[in-house]
Amino acid sequence: MKLLLLAFTHAVAIAFGVALGIYLLPILIAPAAPTVAELADTAAAAPFKGRFKRDLADSDMFHWGDGELSVGPRAIALQGKIAPGPDYKLYLSPVFVETEAEFMRLKPQMVRVGDVKTFDNFVVPVPSGIDVAAYTTAIVWCETFKEFISAASYR
């Protein structure tokens, strides 16, 4: 019995450590957030605006976004915060989605813009060949864990 209890407590401690590492590692290795000037420049050049909100269907206490989104032909910027996590990608979608199931169903119609590496504001360059006006919604998605983080309709 003592050996079983010892094995159980060690397994719980290891599981907790792994979970904590998955959560903290992206925060620890995140690059510096964009400056106020970078955000202002991107917002000034952006013809479209949107808002990430915490109360979307598949958002929860670990997967959320909150703030003002600026979408321009050269860059997409968030003045706000998103929940920290690993392997975040920014997608553009032709329709608004707020659940993992909707995202997976419509993913073939979306375009991946790039990586989101900061959690307190971000600026993601738009690759040439992507017409942001051809889409209506920006989505932050965790590729590794297939988790919906947030979405903002901008058109």
Side-chain angles (χ1 to χ4, degrees):
M1 183 64 162
K2 188 176 179 182
L3 188 58
L4 186 60
L5 181 61
L6 188 62
F8 175 74
T9 58
H10 278 74
V12 168
I14 290 169
F16 179 75
V18 168
L20 189 62
I22 288 171
Y23 179 77
L24 288 178
L25 185 61
I27 297 169
L28 296 173
I29 65 170
T35 66
V36 172
E38 289 173 307
L39 291 168
D41 289 348
T42 303
F48 306 111
K49 304 286 185 205
R51 179 146 194 88
F52 282 126
K53 299 177 188 171
R54 288 182 182 245
D55 61 352
L56 299 178
D58 270 3
S59 292
D60 58 35
M61 67 186 265
F62 298 110
H63 310 100
W64 54 268
D66 190 14
E68 184 74 26
L69 189 73
S70 301
V71 180
R74 290 193 170 85
I76 298 172
L78 172 69
Q79 289 181 297
K81 296 179 183 250
I82 55 175
D87 200 24
Y88 283 1
K89 307 298 181 197
L90 182 66
Y91 283 85
L92 297 181
S93 170
V95 295
F96 183 76
V97 300
E98 61 179 317
T99 68
E100 290 162 10
E102 290 172 334
F103 181 89
M104 293 307 291
R105 182 173 55 83
L106 294 168
K107 191 174 181 182
Q109 298 171 31
M110 297 179 190
V111 63
R112 188 167 118 182
V113 178
D115 297 337
V116 177
K117 295 183 179 181
T118 58
F119 311 110
D120 187 9
N121 302 324
F122 68 68
V123 174
V124 176
V126 175
S128 62
I130 294 178
D131 178 11
V132 297
Y135 301 91
T136 66
T137 304
I139 301 161
V140 176
W141 174 259
C142 176
E143 204 71 52
T144 298
F145 294 105
K146 308 276 187 268
E147 287 287 336
F148 174 86
I149 307 305
S150 194
S153 178
Y154 64 84
R155 252 185 4 96

